[in-house]
Amino acid sequence: MEDGLSSFWGPVTSTDWCEKNYVYSSYIAEFFNTISNVPGILLALIGLVSALRQRFEKRFSVLHISNMILAIGSMIYHSTLQHVQQQGDETPMVWEMLLYFYILYSPDWHYRSTMPTFLFFYGALYAVVHALFRFGFGFKVHYIILCLLCIPRMYKYYIYTKDVSAKRLAKLYVATLLLGSMCWLSDRVFCKEISHWHFNPQGHALWHILMGFNSYFANTFLMFCRAQQREWNPKVVYFLGVFPYVKIQKPKSQ
């Protein structure tokens, strides 16, 4: 939304959300949509430290780092509202979903080199095409399809997991996804009505916060499931009594 202070970054060339621009600083277009990515970065950092300290497979370290990169890209996009920065936010979203696809399906994939090779070239090709062409609606459809492809495998992991704490992580993942999607839709669909309110609930900023927790719950659940597959005796414990993470006990031979 327009209004506010003068812009350091120039005219808006990207998708504009339902938050008044440059209200608090001429350097930050959408203040709340920018700072709301910080929780996601901190949660990804907690997950990364846990993965590195316990020597989980590198795929999980890369996954947590990708969450951090995505959140940083989102901060840059919402602080500038420039088309190039929007691409820098959207392309990592697709890369991250390809990484989730690999983590979910690779354990049962017999031709191990084919999947990462295909996903790498698919992600590279998408980045080139997305840099050359604008397709806002097409991006959303493509991203939703990638998400839907991951759901059957997540459900399989859920029904085969007997641990109550791990199942709770999966339920929190679903709950934050649904609630976050409602916030995203309300901010997008009802922006005209919200603009007349005395208070903006900042639906898109809430989406960022909820998606930060959503990614963290998903990553932790997947780490638990993978540890079960590797027979590492996983259990869900809590950092500071609040943030769940997976504690493992590897056999001495590993």
Side-chain angles (χ1 to χ4, degrees):
M1 289 175 61
E2 297 182 358
D3 293 329
L5 304 175
S6 60
S7 163
F8 175 81
W9 305 105
V12 173
T13 59
S14 68
T15 301
D16 199 357
W17 299 88
C18 198
E19 178 182 354
K20 287 186 177 181
N21 300 340
Y22 300 103
V23 173
Y24 299 98
S25 170
S26 60
Y27 297 98
I28 302 177
E30 297 176 334
F31 181 79
F32 292 106
N33 286 349
T34 299
I35 65 169
S36 55
N37 287 284
V38 173
I41 296 174
L42 297 177
L43 288 167
L45 182 60
I46 293 173
L48 177 62
V49 170
S50 174
L52 291 173
R53 288 186 63 183
Q54 299 187 85
R55 293 183 296 158
F56 267 89
E57 293 162 304
K58 291 181 181 178
R59 66 188 69 179
F60 291 105
S61 297
V62 175
L63 181 59
H64 289 298
I65 292 172
S66 74
N67 292 153
M68 296 173 69
I69 292 173
L70 180 58
I72 292 170
S74 181
M75 291 183 74
I76 295 172
Y77 159 43
H78 286 287
S79 64
T80 62
L81 289 183
Q82 299 298 297
H83 174 62
V84 173
Q85 281 74 15
Q86 181 173 359
Q87 290 176 312
D89 173 42
E90 292 177 348
T91 298
M93 289 174 67
V94 171
W95 289 347
E96 185 181 63
M97 290 313 303
L98 296 178
L99 183 55
Y100 276 117
F101 189 89
Y102 172 73
I103 290 174
L104 284 164
Y105 287 98
S106 63
D108 293 335
W109 193 263
H110 298 295
Y111 306 99
R112 299 204 170 186
S113 63
T114 58
M115 181 182 289
T117 302
F118 170 77
L119 294 176
F120 174 81
F121 282 108
Y122 184 91
L125 178 62
Y126 175 83
V128 172
V129 173
H130 192 43
L132 296 175
F133 304 99
R134 285 197 182 203
F135 40 94
F137 179 74
F139 161 76
K140 294 179 180 66
V141 172
H142 178 241
Y143 184 74
I144 290 172
I145 290 173
L146 291 177
C147 293
L148 292 175
L149 288 173
C150 293
I151 289 177
R153 191 68 173 188
M154 285 287 283
Y155 180 69
K156 180 181 177 181
Y157 280 178
Y158 176 80
I159 61 176
Y160 277 95
T161 300
K162 305 302 180 185
D163 187 90
V164 175
S165 297
K167 281 183 173 290
R168 187 179 299 117
L169 290 173
K171 291 175 181 177
L172 287 170
Y173 159 77
V174 174
T176 50
L177 178 61
L178 293 176
L179 187 57
S181 298
M182 289 172 58
C183 291
W184 188 94
L185 283 170
S186 63
D187 184 83
R188 200 73 191 143
V189 175
F190 301 111
C191 181
K192 187 177 292 186
E193 290 77 8
I194 291 173
S195 63
H196 297 296
W197 295 2
H198 294 294
F199 170 73
N200 187 336
Q202 304 296 344
H204 197 77
L206 290 173
W207 152 264
H208 286 159
I209 295 171
L210 289 165
M211 287 302 100
F213 279 95
N214 176 264
S215 297
Y216 183 77
F217 293 141
N219 297 355
T220 307
F221 177 70
L222 291 175
M223 290 171 73
F224 182 94
C225 294
R226 184 57 176 163
Q228 272 193 326
Q229 293 172 345
R230 300 297 300 271
E231 298 181 346
W232 289 345
N233 191 28
K235 59 181 179 179
V236 178
V237 295
Y238 290 84
F239 173 64
L240 299 177
V242 177
F243 302 105
Y245 71 96
V246 179
K247 187 174 183 180
I248 59 175
Q249 186 173 0
K250 294 183 178 180
K252 292 184 178 179
S253 59
Q254 299 184 39

